[in-house]
Amino acid sequence: MRSRIVLFITIVISFLMQCTVVNILSIGYVKPNLLLILCISMGLMRGRKAGMWTGFFSGLLIDLFYGSLFGFYALIYMYIGFLSGYTCRVYYDDDIKVPMTLVAIADLLYSLAVYALAFLLRGRLGFMNYFTRIIIPEIFYTVILTFIIYRIYHWVNYHLMTSNKKESESIWVIK
């Protein structure tokens, strides 16, 4: 229960940081995607289910405050969190290369989905302009910020989950 409350607080703090502090750090209308980093981090550290729910609630917050089509971002973030959860058991938590690679791939897929469903369907066909001026710089900016932010999420997750692991490994707990 405590881990769910801390995860919800982490989602809200990341969303608030995405809406306030990251706007100040934007370079040429390009902003890093903190909620994407959070979805991938929770999927990597806790598994598919936690990544999926983290992505759903992160996307739901974006849909509530900024989305024109309700559920669009919730669906995209939910899939990203779920798919990143597949690598939960095959990598070490301290290794930063896997999260950075997954963030780069997920940010590319996220940006392509936003372009296809938000711009392409409206008749805006300037893909190469969007790709070179928005997608590529956002990927680099998000991956660089992943190097710092992932370590914070890893620290929170490690200190949060140690008490749950001790309870689950106890001989007095019935499984």
Side-chain angles (χ1 to χ4, degrees):
M1 183 66 182
R2 184 177 117 191
S3 65
R4 290 182 184 162
I5 293 170
V6 171
L7 183 59
F8 179 74
I9 291 170
T10 307
I11 291 170
V12 170
I13 289 172
S14 296
F15 176 73
L16 292 174
M17 294 281 288
Q18 179 80 27
C19 297
T20 56
V21 175
V22 172
N23 285 334
I24 297 169
L25 299 175
S26 67
I27 300 172
Y29 299 110
V30 175
K31 299 181 286 188
N33 198 337
L34 295 180
L35 293 173
L36 186 77
I37 297 170
L38 176 66
C39 294
I40 290 173
S41 299
M42 291 305 126
L44 287 172
M45 290 184 277
R46 293 188 181 183
R48 292 180 300 206
K49 193 174 179 181
M52 180 181 69
W53 286 110
T54 303
F56 176 74
F57 287 116
S58 298
L60 194 63
L61 283 174
I62 292 174
D63 282 332
L64 286 173
F65 290 99
Y66 297 111
S68 59
L69 181 63
F70 191 72
F72 173 69
Y73 290 103
L75 188 65
I76 291 175
Y77 280 104
M78 184 177 70
Y79 279 132
I80 288 172
F82 181 76
L83 292 175
S84 68
Y86 275 106
T87 59
C88 175
R89 297 184 190 263
V90 294
Y91 94 104
Y92 297 108
D93 285 344
D94 296 337
D95 188 20
I96 194 72
K97 293 179 295 247
V98 174
M100 291 175 76
T101 305
L102 282 177
V103 164
I105 293 168
D107 201 1
L108 176 67
L109 294 175
Y110 167 79
S111 298
L112 290 175
V114 168
Y115 173 77
L117 296 174
F119 294 111
L120 189 62
L121 292 178
R122 292 182 184 168
R124 298 180 185 167
L125 300 175
F127 176 72
M128 288 309 292
N129 189 20
Y130 185 75
F131 187 75
T132 57
R133 293 186 182 208
I134 303 294
I135 294 176
I136 296 297
E138 182 180 322
I139 290 171
F140 282 121
Y141 204 6
T142 306
V143 167
I144 289 169
L145 202 59
T146 301
F147 188 75
I148 300 165
I149 300 294
Y150 178 77
R151 296 193 189 275
I152 295 169
Y153 291 149
H154 182 265
W155 184 85
V156 168
N157 186 54
Y158 178 76
H159 290 311
L160 176 71
M161 296 304 283
T162 53
S163 63
N164 291 344
K165 285 181 183 177
K166 288 178 184 176
E167 287 178 9
S168 66
E169 293 172 357
S170 174
I171 61 172
W172 301 106
V173 176
I174 299 173
K175 296 181 183 179

